[in-house]
């Protein structure tokens, strides 16, 4: 499978990751604009790009440490890679730019230098870093009889006191408060990764380690906390998901993704509010003026 | 007498800028070593800077050599933040406040 859309029903997604699941649940119209039509605010990709580079640089460090390099030697390689990134990515954003990327990555690595949390090693001897997974849900969910899969990429598996957890890095431009962690008590990505660890990797992970980095343009702030899940909760989430999948099929068949106005003010305010306050006849004008098309988000894309 | 300690960081004088102006191609191993030294010193500089008003007040006290008069304590006017309490309860129940990573314990 290379396309995440159905070959029978146009715009029916059949390979879902946590990003698209959460987007559809949040608001079908938001999902349509973001992941079917691929709109994003002009210059709005900076936060996403920063997160991707932060992930790739810290993963490079973890892989080099797993290969046996010393802390400082691995750090040097990461700094060199950071300068390579700077040659192609250095936005004028005051919070997220090449300089703040270097600072955040450097102090993240330094901050956890003496951490007792260690990368878990798979049976094949490889460090469990950047693990892609696909989980087939089977066929009974869609009228088109196509198989649906859920997929994603886990940052790392770690061990804490002989227990295994899925670690997921989160960057935020805000502080790391208890409310930040509350977001992950009920969260599609956390549940999906928990399921993937149990089912795909057959590893009895106890939960997710939220590995948070607050970006402030200076040295940043870093914190980690565990979020637990249970098999019973995961099963309920999967059952709920089948209803959402059928709803997605209904929308795709009708070529209509309704607005959920109750989400407009959430998440710091939806980026598409200016679009949705217009009729669908007028909204293309706003989209062409204030938004730009980005590459199609494909959950199946290899990393 | 009160005194405010004001700390300003002159970004243009930040030695990191010398390296940030270099391209990946021009970056030498010595530069990388110096970046690590600079950033480790940089963290030290920031960690010494008072961050909160309380810390700033404490630093000002030290600088002036005087201890400011303590305000008389009256009945607590702190409001109970129910939202915060509920959040704490949820965290304790579901997340477990004690379930911090080992290095935080």
């Amino acid at each position: 499978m290379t396309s995440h859309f159905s070959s029978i029903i146009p715009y029916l997604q059949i390979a879902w990751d946590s990003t698209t699941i959460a987007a559809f649940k949040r608001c079908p119209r938001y999902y349509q604009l973001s992941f079917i039509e691929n709109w994003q605010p002009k210059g709005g990709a900076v936060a996403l790009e920063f997160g991707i580079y932060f992930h790739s640089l810290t993963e490079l460090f973890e892989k080099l440490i797993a290969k046996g390099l010393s802390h400082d030697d691995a750090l040097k390689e990461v700094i060199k890679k950071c300068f390579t990134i700077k040659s192609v990515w250095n936005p004028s954003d005051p919070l997220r730019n090449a300089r703040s990327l270097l600072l955040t990555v450097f102090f993240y690595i330094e901050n956890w230098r003496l951490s007792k949390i260690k990368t878990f090693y798979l049976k094949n001897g490889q460090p469990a870093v950047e693990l892609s997974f696909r989980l087939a849900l089977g066929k009974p969910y869609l009228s088109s009889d196509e198989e649906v899969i859920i997929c994603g990429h886990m940052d790392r598996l770690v061990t804490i006191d002989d227990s295994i957890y899925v670690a997921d890095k989160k960057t935020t431009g805000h502080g790391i408060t208890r409310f930040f962690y509350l977001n992950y008590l009920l969260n599609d990505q956390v549940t999906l990764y928990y399921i993937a660890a149990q089912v795909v990797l057959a590893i009895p992970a106890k939960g997710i380690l939220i590995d948070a980095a607050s970006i402030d343009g200076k040295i940043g702030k870093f914190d980690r906390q565990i979020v637990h899940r249970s098999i019973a909760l995961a099963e309920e989430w999967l059952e709920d998901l089948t209803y959402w999948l059928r709803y997605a099929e209904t929308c795709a068949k009708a070529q209509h993704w309704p607005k959920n106005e109750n989400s407009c003010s959430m998440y710091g305010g939806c980026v598409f509010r200016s679009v949705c306050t217009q009729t669908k006849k007028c909204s293309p004008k706003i989209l062409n003026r204030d938004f730009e098309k980005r590459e199609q988000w494909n959950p199946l894309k290899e990393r | 007498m009160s005194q405010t300690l004001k700390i300003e960081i002159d970004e243009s004088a930040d030695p990191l800028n010398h390296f940030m102006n270099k391209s990946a191609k021009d970056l030498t191993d010595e530069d990388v070593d110096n970046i690590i030294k600079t950033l480790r010193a940089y963290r030290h500089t920031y960690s010494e800077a008072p961050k909160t008003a309380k810390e700033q007040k404490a630093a000002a006290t030290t600088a002036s050599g005087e201890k400011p008069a303590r305000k008389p304590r009256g009945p607590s006017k702190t409001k109970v933040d129910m939202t915060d309490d509920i959040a704490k309860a949820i965290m304790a129940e579901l997340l477990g406040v004690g379930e911090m990573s080992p290095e935080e314990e």
Side-chain angles (χ1 to χ4, degrees):
Chain A
M1 185 188 279
T2 52
S3 173
H4 60 296
F5 284 116
S6 163
S7 57
I8 300 165
I9 301 171
Y11 305 117
L12 172 60
Q13 195 171 330
I14 52 171
W16 294 81
D17 61 357
S18 60
T19 304
T20 46
I21 291 170
F24 184 78
K25 286 183 177 181
R26 169 183 170 176
C27 170
R29 175 70 167 153
Y30 170 81
Y31 164 81
Q32 178 199 6
L33 293 169
S34 294
F35 296 103
I36 291 179
E37 297 185 6
N38 309 311
W39 292 104
Q40 67 177 16
K42 282 182 179 168
V46 174
L48 178 66
E49 288 164 350
F50 185 96
I52 290 169
Y53 287 131
F54 177 79
H55 272 75
S56 69
L57 289 166
T58 50
E59 276 160 21
L60 172 64
F61 179 81
E62 283 145 14
K63 283 179 180 171
L64 293 172
I65 290 292
K67 276 186 180 176
L69 265 69
S70 70
H71 177 94
D72 276 17
D73 285 346
L75 189 54
K76 285 174 192 174
E77 293 304 313
V78 169
I79 291 171
K80 286 177 189 171
K81 183 70 180 173
C82 201
F83 274 77
T84 306
I85 291 168
K86 183 173 81 76
S87 62
V88 294
W89 183 85
N90 194 8
S92 55
D93 187 285
L95 205 59
R96 294 176 175 91
N97 49 57
R99 187 178 187 277
S100 68
L101 178 67
L102 173 64
L103 290 172
T104 310
V105 169
F106 180 89
F107 288 112
Y108 169 86
I109 290 170
E110 290 285 278
N111 189 68
W112 299 116
R113 182 174 188 160
L114 301 175
S115 172
K116 292 174 191 167
I117 295 171
K118 301 295 175 199
T119 300
F120 178 73
Y121 280 76
L122 300 170
K123 283 179 183 171
N124 61 10
Q126 293 297 308
V129 176
E130 185 61 18
L131 301 165
S132 296
F133 65 87
R134 292 183 184 189
L135 175 61
L137 290 183
K139 292 186 177 179
Y141 302 110
L142 303 175
S143 63
S144 63
D145 202 33
E146 288 174 286
E147 188 167 69
V148 175
I149 68 163
I150 49 176
C151 53
H153 307 276
M154 284 186 267
D155 286 347
R156 183 163 71 127
L157 293 179
V158 295
T159 54
I160 306 171
D161 294 337
D162 299 328
S163 295
I164 305 167
Y165 295 86
V166 179
D168 195 61
K169 296 188 187 87
K170 298 288 177 196
T171 55
T172 174
H174 304 287
I176 306 168
T177 61
R178 64 171 68 89
F179 295 103
F180 172 82
Y181 289 114
L182 279 174
N183 291 327
Y184 299 103
L185 289 180
L186 292 167
N187 178 277
D188 290 309
Q189 188 185 32
V190 168
T191 312
L192 178 57
Y193 287 6
Y194 174 80
I195 292 167
Q198 315 291 329
V199 180
V200 183
L201 300 173
I203 287 170
K206 284 192 171 177
I208 310 296
L209 178 77
I210 303 295
D211 191 358
S214 169
I215 309 152
D216 57 10
K218 296 175 185 173
I219 67 173
K221 289 186 177 66
F222 310 98
D223 191 47
R224 290 169 168 172
Q225 194 149 146
I226 290 167
V227 180
H228 286 288
R229 284 291 184 277
S230 66
I231 299 286
L233 268 175
E235 284 173 349
E236 284 184 11
W237 182 85
L238 275 172
E239 188 189 354
D240 287 350
L241 182 65
T242 63
Y243 288 82
W244 286 104
L245 293 173
R246 291 186 189 108
Y247 182 29
E249 182 180 25
T250 304
C251 294
K253 278 182 172 173
Q255 295 290 289
H256 182 84
W257 290 267
K259 295 172 191 168
N260 175 10
E261 286 89 345
N262 289 305
S263 287
C264 303
S265 301
M266 295 171 75
Y267 314 102
C270 179
V271 293
F272 293 114
R273 275 187 295 189
S274 61
V275 179
C276 291
T277 50
Q278 306 294 318
T279 61
K280 286 184 180 170
K281 193 176 175 184
C282 296
S283 59
K285 279 184 191 171
I286 310 288
L287 285 167
N288 287 314
R289 190 189 67 196
D290 299 336
F291 294 79
E292 60 191 2
K293 291 265 191 175
R294 59 161 164 71
E295 186 187 349
Q296 173 83 58
W297 179 270
N298 185 350
L300 298 171
K301 189 177 176 183
E302 297 281 335
R303 287 192 188 173
Chain B
M1 192 176 93
S2 66
Q3 183 180 336
T4 305
L5 182 68
K6 192 177 179 184
I7 291 182
E8 288 182 348
I9 294 161
D10 183 358
E11 295 259 336
S12 63
D14 181 354
L16 184 62
N17 286 348
H18 167 70
F19 302 108
M20 291 309 292
N21 290 330
K22 292 198 172 196
S23 68
K25 200 172 66 178
D26 297 332
L27 196 73
T28 64
D29 287 344
E30 192 183 351
D31 287 334
V32 176
D33 286 338
N34 285 328
I35 287 170
I36 293 173
K37 283 180 194 167
T38 302
L39 289 180
R40 282 178 177 155
Y42 192 77
R43 174 166 65 175
H44 190 61
T45 304
Y46 269 87
S47 65
E48 281 186 345
K51 291 172 186 170
T52 65
K54 197 175 177 182
E55 286 170 332
Q56 283 193 4
K57 195 175 173 184
T61 305
T62 310
S64 65
E66 291 176 26
K67 200 169 183 179
R70 200 170 179 175
K71 282 183 185 174
R73 290 195 175 196
S76 173
K77 291 178 182 174
T78 309
K79 287 180 181 174
V80 177
D81 186 344
M82 286 305 291
T83 312
D84 195 47
D85 284 353
I86 292 165
K88 271 184 191 171
I90 294 170
M91 288 289 280
E93 179 73 19
L94 297 173
L95 188 59
V97 174
E99 286 286 2
M100 307 286 273
S101 52
E103 55 267 62
E104 294 163 354
E105 288 175 353

